[in-house]
Amino acid sequence: THEAYPLPERVGNSEVRSIMLDNKSNVWIATAAGVFVKKANHSQWKAVQTDSNQGPAYSVTVDAQSNVWMGTWNGVYRFENNQLQPIAGVEAPISVVHASLEGTYAIGSKGIWLFNGQNFVKKNYEIPRSVRDALSDNQGGLWLASDVGLYYINKEGKTKILRNTDEVQSAYIKGITTDQNQHLWAGGLGGVSIINQFQKKRAITTSDGLPTAYVTCLKTAPDGTVWVGTE
């Protein structure tokens, strides 16, 4: 079934870049016109930011304390205790926010920062400017999906890049997730690569039923099913 929840008319058919649910089943979306929230059991979207701060948003996530984090054109915002707060310490724009056991990452074209509970600290990592998704291994390491390959940065800051065809389907990667076996799934141009120990174990392509070779996002459901979004 399809239940439509259109955005306000003044926003138009704005591109949705990221979506997530909080612990109260409220739906949060990052769009080309800003961040919006739809409360549980409601059908209307409400803008989260004020008019002066409203602008392109790219990523939303929720942390272990049920705080909502937003990556936008002018930095990072956190929704905590029913209040929206801008969090200083990063260089805008922020294209990816990712909550992990070690804290919340904020990633943009100008670098990567980790929130330590008090403030953001910039990491001295060499990363591409085109990060599209991020995933912590919850052991201090971080995977990054980008337009120029799949990056893995360990807790010492050493980087390994997967971009060859025996490692990933292509270097143009839009989304990453892990399955129940802790295998990494990377989706982008060419389909999905399933990776274990930095080696591609399997590929899922149009010959396996994908409707197109352009994968845009991946998400693992609570029951372990991996969902693949495509163009």
Side-chain angles (χ1 to χ4, degrees):
T1 60
H2 174 213
E3 297 180 25
Y5 299 101
L7 288 165
E9 287 187 9
R10 64 179 179 83
V11 176
N13 188 22
S14 187
E15 176 188 352
V16 178
R17 284 92 178 257
S18 179
I19 181 170
M20 53 79 60
L21 273 72
D22 64 20
N23 64 339
K24 296 180 181 178
S25 294
N26 302 319
V27 185
W28 299 75
I29 55 174
T31 81
V35 179
F36 294 82
V37 60
K38 187 188 78 64
K39 295 293 183 71
N41 303 318
H42 287 69
S43 60
Q44 301 298 316
W45 295 98
K46 181 180 179 182
V48 175
Q49 299 150 294
T50 60
D51 289 342
S52 60
N53 288 319
Q54 196 167 3
Y58 306 100
S59 181
V60 286
T61 191
V62 61
D63 64 20
Q65 291 74 42
S66 301
N67 301 316
V68 178
W69 295 81
M70 311 161 201
T72 76
W73 69 281
N74 65 348
V76 174
Y77 292 82
R78 180 178 63 187
F79 191 80
E80 181 182 24
N81 298 325
N82 291 318
Q83 289 188 329
L84 183 68
Q85 306 168 323
I87 307 297
V90 302
E91 295 182 61
I94 297 299
S95 58
V96 176
V97 285
H98 174 62
S100 68
L101 292 181
E102 58 266 28
T104 298
Y105 289 96
I107 307 166
S109 59
K110 299 178 182 178
I112 178 170
W113 294 261
L114 178 62
F115 192 76
N116 61 11
Q118 299 295 324
N119 47 56
F120 275 109
V121 177
K122 189 169 185 178
K123 308 294 284 186
N124 188 27
Y125 295 162
E126 292 291 334
I127 66 170
R129 294 175 59 87
S130 58
V131 175
R132 307 304 180 193
D133 199 4
L135 184 67
S136 170
D137 65 3
N138 292 321
Q139 297 177 351
L142 187 67
W143 290 94
L144 302 175
S146 81
D147 291 353
V148 291
L150 181 63
Y151 282 59
Y152 177 73
I153 306 171
N154 67 16
K155 59 184 178 181
E156 285 81 29
K158 295 181 179 179
T159 301
K160 184 176 180 62
I161 307 172
L162 280 63
R163 57 167 65 109
N164 297 324
T165 54
D166 60 334
E167 298 167 327
V168 288
Q169 284 296 100
S170 79
Y172 187 76
I173 299 169
K174 297 281 284 184
I176 46 179
T177 190
T178 53
D179 61 20
Q180 289 180 314
N181 297 318
Q182 296 305 304
H183 293 165
L184 186 78
W185 292 48
L189 180 63
V192 178
S193 306
I194 302 176
I195 300 162
N196 186 36
Q197 299 295 321
F198 302 102
Q199 292 184 335
K200 183 173 67 175
K201 299 298 184 182
R202 182 188 170 193
I204 300 174
T205 67
T206 52
S207 62
D208 301 299
L210 282 183
T212 172
Y214 297 94
V215 173
T216 56
C217 57
L218 296 167
K219 184 66 71 174
T220 303
D223 65 358
T225 304
V226 178
W227 290 77
V228 181
T230 74
E231 288 190 356

mmCIF file of all heavy atoms in Angstrom, residues 168-206:
data_model
loop_
_atom_site.group_PDB
_atom_site.id
_atom_site.type_symbol
_atom_site.label_atom_id
_atom_site.label_comp_id
_atom_site.label_asym_id
_atom_site.label_seq_id
_atom_site.Cartn_x
_atom_site.Cartn_y
_atom_site.Cartn_z
ATOM 1 N N VAL A 168 34.717 -3.779 -5.342
ATOM 2 C CA VAL A 168 33.373 -3.202 -5.414
ATOM 3 C C VAL A 168 32.936 -3.177 -6.877
ATOM 4 O O VAL A 168 33.765 -3.224 -7.788
ATOM 5 C CB VAL A 168 33.330 -1.772 -4.831
ATOM 6 C CG1 VAL A 168 33.453 -1.800 -3.319
ATOM 7 C CG2 VAL A 168 34.421 -0.891 -5.436
ATOM 8 N N GLN A 169 31.620 -3.084 -7.092
ATOM 9 C CA GLN A 169 31.105 -3.045 -8.463
ATOM 10 C C GLN A 169 31.634 -1.837 -9.220
ATOM 11 O O GLN A 169 31.952 -1.913 -10.394
ATOM 12 C CB GLN A 169 29.577 -3.033 -8.452
ATOM 13 C CG GLN A 169 28.945 -4.384 -8.147
ATOM 14 C CD GLN A 169 29.270 -5.400 -9.218
ATOM 15 O OE1 GLN A 169 30.159 -6.232 -9.049
ATOM 16 N NE2 GLN A 169 28.557 -5.353 -10.325
ATOM 17 N N SER A 170 31.688 -0.704 -8.529
ATOM 18 C CA SER A 170 32.281 0.499 -9.101
ATOM 19 C C SER A 170 32.697 1.402 -7.956
ATOM 20 O O SER A 170 32.330 1.175 -6.795
ATOM 21 C CB SER A 170 31.302 1.225 -10.034
ATOM 22 O OG SER A 170 30.370 1.990 -9.285
ATOM 23 N N ALA A 171 33.457 2.435 -8.273
ATOM 24 C CA ALA A 171 33.922 3.362 -7.236
ATOM 25 C C ALA A 171 32.847 4.366 -6.849
ATOM 26 O O ALA A 171 32.984 5.058 -5.840
ATOM 27 C CB ALA A 171 35.163 4.102 -7.724
ATOM 28 N N TYR A 172 31.759 4.449 -7.615
ATOM 29 C CA TYR A 172 30.696 5.410 -7.362
ATOM 30 C C TYR A 172 29.687 4.764 -6.412
ATOM 31 O O TYR A 172 28.841 3.969 -6.828
ATOM 32 C CB TYR A 172 30.036 5.818 -8.675
ATOM 33 C CG TYR A 172 29.034 6.921 -8.559
ATOM 34 C CD1 TYR A 172 29.432 8.249 -8.404
ATOM 35 C CD2 TYR A 172 27.678 6.658 -8.619
ATOM 36 C CE1 TYR A 172 28.507 9.268 -8.304
ATOM 37 C CE2 TYR A 172 26.737 7.666 -8.518
ATOM 38 C CZ TYR A 172 27.154 8.972 -8.363
ATOM 39 O OH TYR A 172 26.227 9.982 -8.266
ATOM 40 N N ILE A 173 29.770 5.099 -5.109
ATOM 41 C CA ILE A 173 28.989 4.418 -4.075
ATOM 42 C C ILE A 173 28.124 5.434 -3.328
ATOM 43 O O ILE A 173 28.611 6.473 -2.884
ATOM 44 C CB ILE A 173 29.914 3.672 -3.099
ATOM 45 C CG1 ILE A 173 30.722 2.622 -3.874
ATOM 46 C CG2 ILE A 173 29.115 3.004 -1.991
ATOM 47 C CD1 ILE A 173 31.844 2.010 -3.080
ATOM 48 N N LYS A 174 26.838 5.112 -3.194
ATOM 49 C CA LYS A 174 25.879 6.042 -2.590
ATOM 50 C C LYS A 174 25.433 5.628 -1.189
ATOM 51 O O LYS A 174 25.063 6.483 -0.384
ATOM 52 C CB LYS A 174 24.648 6.155 -3.491
ATOM 53 C CG LYS A 174 24.922 6.725 -4.864
ATOM 54 C CD LYS A 174 25.056 8.230 -4.820
ATOM 55 C CE LYS A 174 23.688 8.893 -4.676
ATOM 56 N NZ LYS A 174 23.798 10.365 -4.722
ATOM 57 N N GLY A 175 25.416 4.312 -0.881
ATOM 58 C CA GLY A 175 24.888 3.879 0.410
ATOM 59 C C GLY A 175 25.570 2.631 0.916
ATOM 60 O O GLY A 175 26.055 1.807 0.128
ATOM 61 N N ILE A 176 25.619 2.490 2.256
ATOM 62 C CA ILE A 176 26.233 1.319 2.885
ATOM 63 C C ILE A 176 25.403 0.884 4.088
ATOM 64 O O ILE A 176 24.757 1.698 4.749
ATOM 65 C CB ILE A 176 27.695 1.604 3.324
ATOM 66 C CG1 ILE A 176 27.790 2.945 4.046
ATOM 67 C CG2 ILE A 176 28.645 1.548 2.154
ATOM 68 C CD1 ILE A 176 29.183 3.296 4.531
ATOM 69 N N THR A 177 25.452 -0.428 4.364
ATOM 70 C CA THR A 177 24.806 -0.988 5.543
ATOM 71 C C THR A 177 25.475 -2.314 5.859
ATOM 72 O O THR A 177 26.304 -2.805 5.088
ATOM 73 C CB THR A 177 23.294 -1.165 5.319
ATOM 74 O OG1 THR A 177 22.642 -1.490 6.555
ATOM 75 C CG2 THR A 177 23.006 -2.277 4.315
ATOM 76 N N THR A 178 25.145 -2.909 6.990
ATOM 77 C CA THR A 178 25.636 -4.242 7.329
ATOM 78 C C THR A 178 24.455 -5.180 7.525
ATOM 79 O O THR A 178 23.373 -4.757 7.932
ATOM 80 C CB THR A 178 26.489 -4.233 8.611
ATOM 81 O OG1 THR A 178 25.756 -3.594 9.675
ATOM 82 C CG2 THR A 178 27.788 -3.493 8.397
ATOM 83 N N ASP A 179 24.679 -6.470 7.218
ATOM 84 C CA ASP A 179 23.619 -7.457 7.408
ATOM 85 C C ASP A 179 23.812 -8.190 8.733
ATOM 86 O O ASP A 179 24.673 -7.828 9.546
ATOM 87 C CB ASP A 179 23.570 -8.424 6.219
ATOM 88 C CG ASP A 179 24.863 -9.221 6.036
ATOM 89 O OD1 ASP A 179 25.658 -9.331 7.003
ATOM 90 O OD2 ASP A 179 25.078 -9.745 4.925
ATOM 91 N N GLN A 180 23.019 -9.232 8.948
ATOM 92 C CA GLN A 180 23.072 -9.963 10.218
ATOM 93 C C GLN A 180 24.397 -10.701 10.414
ATOM 94 O O GLN A 180 24.762 -11.034 11.541
ATOM 95 C CB GLN A 180 21.905 -10.951 10.294
ATOM 96 C CG GLN A 180 20.551 -10.282 10.468
ATOM 97 C CD GLN A 180 19.426 -11.277 10.531
ATOM 98 O OE1 GLN A 180 19.343 -12.208 9.728
ATOM 99 N NE2 GLN A 180 18.530 -11.111 11.488
ATOM 100 N N ASN A 181 25.103 -10.958 9.329
ATOM 101 C CA ASN A 181 26.401 -11.624 9.408
ATOM 102 C C ASN A 181 27.560 -10.638 9.499
ATOM 103 O O ASN A 181 28.719 -11.049 9.415
ATOM 104 C CB ASN A 181 26.595 -12.531 8.183
ATOM 105 C CG ASN A 181 25.568 -13.638 8.126
ATOM 106 O OD1 ASN A 181 25.248 -14.255 9.136
ATOM 107 N ND2 ASN A 181 25.022 -13.877 6.937
ATOM 108 N N GLN A 182 27.212 -9.361 9.662
ATOM 109 C CA GLN A 182 28.209 -8.288 9.720
ATOM 110 C C GLN A 182 29.015 -8.142 8.433
ATOM 111 O O GLN A 182 30.141 -7.665 8.442
ATOM 112 C CB GLN A 182 29.150 -8.475 10.922
ATOM 113 C CG GLN A 182 28.443 -8.384 12.265
ATOM 114 C CD GLN A 182 27.655 -7.092 12.435
ATOM 115 O OE1 GLN A 182 28.209 -6.014 12.306
ATOM 116 N NE2 GLN A 182 26.363 -7.208 12.708
ATOM 117 N N HIS A 183 28.419 -8.573 7.330
ATOM 118 C CA HIS A 183 28.993 -8.294 6.025
ATOM 119 C C HIS A 183 28.546 -6.900 5.596
ATOM 120 O O HIS A 183 27.407 -6.496 5.852
ATOM 121 C CB HIS A 183 28.539 -9.325 4.992
ATOM 122 C CG HIS A 183 29.074 -10.695 5.264
ATOM 123 N ND1 HIS A 183 28.556 -11.833 4.659
ATOM 124 C CD2 HIS A 183 30.063 -11.131 6.080
ATOM 125 C CE1 HIS A 183 29.208 -12.898 5.086
ATOM 126 N NE2 HIS A 183 30.128 -12.499 5.955
ATOM 127 N N LEU A 184 29.438 -6.182 4.941
ATOM 128 C CA LEU A 184 29.136 -4.831 4.494
ATOM 129 C C LEU A 184 28.493 -4.878 3.112
ATOM 130 O O LEU A 184 28.984 -5.565 2.218
ATOM 131 C CB LEU A 184 30.409 -3.990 4.443
ATOM 132 C CG LEU A 184 30.193 -2.515 4.113
ATOM 133 C CD1 LEU A 184 29.703 -1.763 5.337
ATOM 134 C CD2 LEU A 184 31.472 -1.883 3.579
ATOM 135 N N TRP A 185 27.409 -4.144 2.949
ATOM 136 C CA TRP A 185 26.742 -3.988 1.653
ATOM 137 C C TRP A 185 26.999 -2.574 1.174
ATOM 138 O O TRP A 185 26.757 -1.606 1.907
ATOM 139 C CB TRP A 185 25.236 -4.219 1.772
ATOM 140 C CG TRP A 185 24.833 -5.630 2.095
ATOM 141 C CD1 TRP A 185 25.350 -6.430 3.075
ATOM 142 C CD2 TRP A 185 23.815 -6.395 1.460
ATOM 143 N NE1 TRP A 185 24.724 -7.645 3.090
ATOM 144 C CE2 TRP A 185 23.775 -7.654 2.113
ATOM 145 C CE3 TRP A 185 22.931 -6.133 0.412
ATOM 146 C CZ2 TRP A 185 22.875 -8.650 1.735
ATOM 147 C CZ3 TRP A 185 22.036 -7.122 0.032
ATOM 148 C CH2 TRP A 185 22.016 -8.373 0.681
ATOM 149 N N ALA A 186 27.507 -2.431 -0.043
ATOM 150 C CA ALA A 186 27.779 -1.125 -0.633
ATOM 151 C C ALA A 186 27.025 -1.022 -1.950
ATOM 152 O O ALA A 186 27.182 -1.862 -2.837
ATOM 153 C CB ALA A 186 29.279 -0.938 -0.857
ATOM 154 N N GLY A 187 26.192 0.013 -2.080
ATOM 155 C CA GLY A 187 25.379 0.170 -3.277
ATOM 156 C C GLY A 187 25.701 1.442 -4.018
ATOM 157 O O GLY A 187 25.977 2.480 -3.415
ATOM 158 N N GLY A 188 25.664 1.366 -5.327
ATOM 159 C CA GLY A 188 25.923 2.532 -6.167
ATOM 160 C C GLY A 188 25.789 2.158 -7.624
ATOM 161 O O GLY A 188 24.953 1.315 -7.991
ATOM 162 N N LEU A 189 26.613 2.756 -8.456
ATOM 163 C CA LEU A 189 26.599 2.438 -9.879
ATOM 164 C C LEU A 189 26.995 0.972 -10.090
ATOM 165 O O LEU A 189 28.010 0.524 -9.579
ATOM 166 C CB LEU A 189 27.570 3.353 -10.623
ATOM 167 C CG LEU A 189 27.689 3.147 -12.127
ATOM 168 C CD1 LEU A 189 26.366 3.435 -12.815
ATOM 169 C CD2 LEU A 189 28.788 4.039 -12.691
ATOM 170 N N GLY A 190 26.167 0.233 -10.801
ATOM 171 C CA GLY A 190 26.457 -1.174 -11.078
ATOM 172 C C GLY A 190 25.722 -2.144 -10.192
ATOM 173 O O GLY A 190 25.664 -3.335 -10.499
ATOM 174 N N GLY A 191 25.169 -1.669 -9.085
ATOM 175 C CA GLY A 191 24.433 -2.553 -8.189
ATOM 176 C C GLY A 191 24.981 -2.560 -6.783
ATOM 177 O O GLY A 191 25.479 -1.548 -6.282
ATOM 178 N N VAL A 192 24.918 -3.720 -6.133
ATOM 179 C CA VAL A 192 25.309 -3.872 -4.733
ATOM 180 C C VAL A 192 26.483 -4.835 -4.627
ATOM 181 O O VAL A 192 26.481 -5.896 -5.259
ATOM 182 C CB VAL A 192 24.131 -4.407 -3.881
ATOM 183 C CG1 VAL A 192 24.559 -4.598 -2.435
ATOM 184 C CG2 VAL A 192 22.941 -3.448 -3.957
ATOM 185 N N SER A 193 27.465 -4.462 -3.829
ATOM 186 C CA SER A 193 28.594 -5.343 -3.520
ATOM 187 C C SER A 193 28.469 -5.787 -2.068
ATOM 188 O O SER A 193 28.260 -4.962 -1.182
ATOM 189 C CB SER A 193 29.925 -4.610 -3.707
ATOM 190 O OG SER A 193 30.020 -4.051 -4.996
ATOM 191 N N ILE A 194 28.596 -7.083 -1.823
ATOM 192 C CA ILE A 194 28.596 -7.621 -0.459
ATOM 193 C C ILE A 194 30.042 -7.966 -0.115
ATOM 194 O O ILE A 194 30.672 -8.779 -0.786
ATOM 195 C CB ILE A 194 27.681 -8.847 -0.349
ATOM 196 C CG1 ILE A 194 26.247 -8.473 -0.769
ATOM 197 C CG2 ILE A 194 27.688 -9.397 1.075
ATOM 198 C CD1 ILE A 194 25.286 -9.641 -0.785
ATOM 199 N N ILE A 195 30.549 -7.329 0.938
ATOM 200 C CA ILE A 195 31.981 -7.342 1.229
ATOM 201 C C ILE A 195 32.243 -7.938 2.603
ATOM 202 O O ILE A 195 31.536 -7.637 3.574
ATOM 203 C CB ILE A 195 32.541 -5.905 1.165
ATOM 204 C CG1 ILE A 195 32.321 -5.330 -0.239
ATOM 205 C CG2 ILE A 195 34.004 -5.846 1.541
ATOM 206 C CD1 ILE A 195 32.437 -3.829 -0.305
ATOM 207 N N ASN A 196 33.267 -8.777 2.683
ATOM 208 C CA ASN A 196 33.729 -9.324 3.950
ATOM 209 C C ASN A 196 35.255 -9.344 3.928
ATOM 210 O O ASN A 196 35.854 -9.803 2.956
ATOM 211 C CB ASN A 196 33.184 -10.746 4.162
ATOM 212 C CG ASN A 196 33.533 -11.281 5.535
ATOM 213 O OD1 ASN A 196 33.554 -10.537 6.523
ATOM 214 N ND2 ASN A 196 33.803 -12.569 5.626
ATOM 215 N N GLN A 197 35.854 -8.811 4.997
ATOM 216 C CA GLN A 197 37.313 -8.756 5.080
ATOM 217 C C GLN A 197 37.929 -8.053 3.857
ATOM 218 O O GLN A 197 38.927 -8.512 3.293
ATOM 219 C CB GLN A 197 37.891 -10.169 5.237
ATOM 220 C CG GLN A 197 37.423 -10.905 6.490
ATOM 221 C CD GLN A 197 37.892 -10.239 7.771
ATOM 222 O OE1 GLN A 197 39.010 -9.751 7.859
ATOM 223 N NE2 GLN A 197 37.033 -10.215 8.783
ATOM 224 N N PHE A 198 37.281 -6.961 3.450
ATOM 225 C CA PHE A 198 37.757 -6.111 2.353
ATOM 226 C C PHE A 198 37.739 -6.806 0.996
ATOM 227 O O PHE A 198 38.387 -6.346 0.057
ATOM 228 C CB PHE A 198 39.163 -5.575 2.646
ATOM 229 C CG PHE A 198 39.251 -4.793 3.930
ATOM 230 C CD1 PHE A 198 39.796 -5.365 5.070
ATOM 231 C CD2 PHE A 198 38.774 -3.488 3.999
ATOM 232 C CE1 PHE A 198 39.873 -4.647 6.254
ATOM 233 C CE2 PHE A 198 38.843 -2.769 5.177
ATOM 234 C CZ PHE A 198 39.390 -3.338 6.309
ATOM 235 N N GLN A 199 36.979 -7.875 0.862
ATOM 236 C CA GLN A 199 36.871 -8.569 -0.412
ATOM 237 C C GLN A 199 35.406 -8.715 -0.803
ATOM 238 O O GLN A 199 34.553 -9.003 0.045
ATOM 239 C CB GLN A 199 37.526 -9.956 -0.334
ATOM 240 C CG GLN A 199 39.044 -9.923 -0.167
ATOM 241 C CD GLN A 199 39.644 -11.310 -0.199
ATOM 242 O OE1 GLN A 199 38.985 -12.301 0.111
ATOM 243 N NE2 GLN A 199 40.907 -11.394 -0.599
ATOM 244 N N LYS A 200 35.144 -8.520 -2.087
ATOM 245 C CA LYS A 200 33.785 -8.674 -2.589
ATOM 246 C C LYS A 200 33.443 -10.149 -2.680
ATOM 247 O O LYS A 200 34.060 -10.904 -3.416
ATOM 248 C CB LYS A 200 33.651 -8.005 -3.964
ATOM 249 C CG LYS A 200 32.246 -8.055 -4.538
ATOM 250 C CD LYS A 200 32.116 -7.223 -5.815
ATOM 251 C CE LYS A 200 32.930 -7.810 -6.946
ATOM 252 N NZ LYS A 200 32.735 -7.089 -8.215
ATOM 253 N N LYS A 201 32.433 -10.545 -1.906
ATOM 254 C CA LYS A 201 32.019 -11.947 -1.889
ATOM 255 C C LYS A 201 30.883 -12.225 -2.867
ATOM 256 O O LYS A 201 30.719 -13.347 -3.336
ATOM 257 C CB LYS A 201 31.582 -12.340 -0.477
ATOM 258 C CG LYS A 201 32.690 -12.201 0.572
ATOM 259 C CD LYS A 201 33.859 -13.105 0.257
ATOM 260 C CE LYS A 201 34.930 -13.044 1.332
ATOM 261 N NZ LYS A 201 36.100 -13.887 1.019
ATOM 262 N N ARG A 202 30.095 -11.180 -3.148
ATOM 263 C CA ARG A 202 28.946 -11.374 -4.043
ATOM 264 C C ARG A 202 28.519 -10.013 -4.580
ATOM 265 O O ARG A 202 28.725 -8.984 -3.923
ATOM 266 C CB ARG A 202 27.777 -12.028 -3.292
ATOM 267 C CG ARG A 202 26.553 -12.303 -4.155
ATOM 268 C CD ARG A 202 25.365 -12.765 -3.335
ATOM 269 N NE ARG A 202 24.153 -12.781 -4.146
ATOM 270 C CZ ARG A 202 22.917 -12.899 -3.657
ATOM 271 N NH1 ARG A 202 22.743 -13.028 -2.355
ATOM 272 N NH2 ARG A 202 21.863 -12.889 -4.458
ATOM 273 N N ALA A 203 27.941 -10.007 -5.756
ATOM 274 C CA ALA A 203 27.372 -8.796 -6.338
ATOM 275 C C ALA A 203 25.902 -9.049 -6.660
ATOM 276 O O ALA A 203 25.518 -10.152 -7.062
ATOM 277 C CB ALA A 203 28.124 -8.386 -7.591
ATOM 278 N N ILE A 204 25.078 -8.039 -6.457
ATOM 279 C CA ILE A 204 23.666 -8.090 -6.833
ATOM 280 C C ILE A 204 23.464 -7.035 -7.913
ATOM 281 O O ILE A 204 23.685 -5.842 -7.679
ATOM 282 C CB ILE A 204 22.751 -7.816 -5.627
ATOM 283 C CG1 ILE A 204 22.994 -8.861 -4.525
ATOM 284 C CG2 ILE A 204 21.283 -7.840 -6.054
ATOM 285 C CD1 ILE A 204 22.243 -8.588 -3.250
ATOM 286 N N THR A 205 23.059 -7.480 -9.098
ATOM 287 C CA THR A 205 22.946 -6.590 -10.252
ATOM 288 C C THR A 205 21.567 -6.733 -10.894
ATOM 289 O O THR A 205 20.680 -7.413 -10.356
ATOM 290 C CB THR A 205 24.035 -6.915 -11.283
ATOM 291 O OG1 THR A 205 23.779 -8.221 -11.835
ATOM 292 C CG2 THR A 205 25.420 -6.923 -10.632
ATOM 293 N N THR A 206 21.403 -6.113 -12.049
ATOM 294 C CA THR A 206 20.130 -6.215 -12.757
ATOM 295 C C THR A 206 19.822 -7.660 -13.143
ATOM 296 O O THR A 206 18.653 -8.042 -13.249
ATOM 297 C CB THR A 206 20.150 -5.332 -14.016
ATOM 298 O OG1 THR A 206 21.327 -5.640 -14.792
ATOM 299 C CG2 THR A 206 20.176 -3.861 -13.640
#
